[in-house]
């Protein structure tokens, strides 16, 4: 089967990985644009003020997120595998706005929500699941290569759909497949973040 590359090791191998930092950078850029529209001179702020500025924006976004999705967050299952599937369904429903909405702000917010569900909820559930099923992990070849938006959407739909459809409680093979697809999702969400970074920086 070859050497197993665990989820945690893959994070360390991928030097780009820090989804919170990436999200913060994009949020800062978006905040900069919004500030210019409201006559707030972001560019003339001291670096400490800029940091505090986007931290406040991040805090407000997190509060809005919890309020917007309070019903979703109140119905989370208990087991790690069920949590993964639950949040995979939520993230799957966000893809339409991420890839097809004509309004940039809606696309951006849907992407931020996708990141929040992945980073704060799916990733945490997967870490627990991987610990519980360590012996069933299968090697996943991380590439971390960018791809066109159409292809990325197709890959995400396929990956999330497979996570949702699996019944890991039935067979050991399904446990392996669950972790394999979760590793794949880790790579795909990284590509999704890169896509938005390129869109913002090229704006």
């Amino acid at each position: 089967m070859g050497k197993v590359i665990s989820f945690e090791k893959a994070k360390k191998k991928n030097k780009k990985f820090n989804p919170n930092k990436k999200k913060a950078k994009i949020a800062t850029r978006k905040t900069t644009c919004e500030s210019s529209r409201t006559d707030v001179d972001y560019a003339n702020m001291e670096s400490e003020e800029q940091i505090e500025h986007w931290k406040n924006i991040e805090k407000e976004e997190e509060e809005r997120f919890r309020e917007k999705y309070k019903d979703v967050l109140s119905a989370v299952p208990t087991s790690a595998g069920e949590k993964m599937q639950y949040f995979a369904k939520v993230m799957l429903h966000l893809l339409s706005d991420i890839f097809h909405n004509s309004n940039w702000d809606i696309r951006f917010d849907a992407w931020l929500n996708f990141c929040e569900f992945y980073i704060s909820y799916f990733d945490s559930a997967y870490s627990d699941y991987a610990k519980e099923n360590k012996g069933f992990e299968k090697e996943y070849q991380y590439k971390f290569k960018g791809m066109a938006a159409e292809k990325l959407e197709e890959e995400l739909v396929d990956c999330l759909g497979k996570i949702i459809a699996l019944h890991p409680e039935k067979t050991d093979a399904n446990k392996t497949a669950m972790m394999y697809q979760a590793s794949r999702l880790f790579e795909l969400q990284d590509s999704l973040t890169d896509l938005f970074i390129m869109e913002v920086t090229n704006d």
Side-chain angles (χ1 to χ4, degrees), residues 149-171:
E150 295 81 5
K151 178 65 174 174
L152 180 55
E153 181 186 14
E154 180 183 314
E155 292 284 323
L156 281 164
V157 169
D158 182 70
C159 180
L160 291 167
K162 285 179 177 174
I163 291 171
I164 294 164
L166 283 167
H167 296 281
E169 73 284 354
K170 290 187 176 181
T171 67

Side-chain angles (χ1 to χ4, degrees), residues 58-183:
E58 285 273 286
K59 185 177 179 181
E60 291 172 7
E61 289 291 332
E62 288 170 5
E63 289 173 355
R64 277 196 290 268
F65 175 87
R66 286 193 293 270
E67 177 60 27
K68 180 177 181 178
Y69 292 104
K70 61 183 179 182
D71 291 339
V72 172
L73 297 175
S74 69
V76 179
T78 55
S79 74
E82 288 174 326
K83 285 179 182 177
M84 289 168 63
Q85 292 177 313
Y86 182 79
F87 289 117
K89 289 178 185 176
V90 175
M91 290 186 286
L92 182 63
H93 287 126
L94 291 169
L95 293 183
S96 178
D97 275 340
I98 289 173
F99 287 100
H100 300 292
N101 201 293
S102 59
N103 184 302
W104 162 254
D105 287 332
I106 292 175
R107 288 188 64 229
F108 182 88
D109 289 341
W111 170 77
L112 277 184
N113 292 336
F114 185 100
C115 283
E116 192 65 36
F117 277 118
Y118 179 82
I119 295 164
S120 298
Y121 299 97
F122 183 93
D123 185 23
S124 176
Y126 175 66
S127 294
D128 291 339
Y129 189 84
K131 289 174 186 175
E132 295 169 5
N133 299 282
K134 192 173 183 180
F136 302 107
E137 188 175 18
K138 179 183 177 182
E139 180 180 9
Y140 181 87
Q141 297 291 338
Y142 291 94
K143 299 180 181 68
F144 294 108
K145 289 183 179 179
M147 61 183 77
E150 295 81 5
K151 178 65 174 174
L152 180 55
E153 181 186 14
E154 180 183 314
E155 292 284 323
L156 281 164
V157 169
D158 182 70
C159 180
L160 291 167
K162 285 179 177 174
I163 291 171
I164 294 164
L166 283 167
H167 296 281
E169 73 284 354
K170 290 187 176 181
T171 67
D172 292 345
N174 281 351
K175 292 175 183 176
T176 297
M178 190 79 153
M179 288 188 283
Y180 188 87
Q181 293 301 326
S183 296

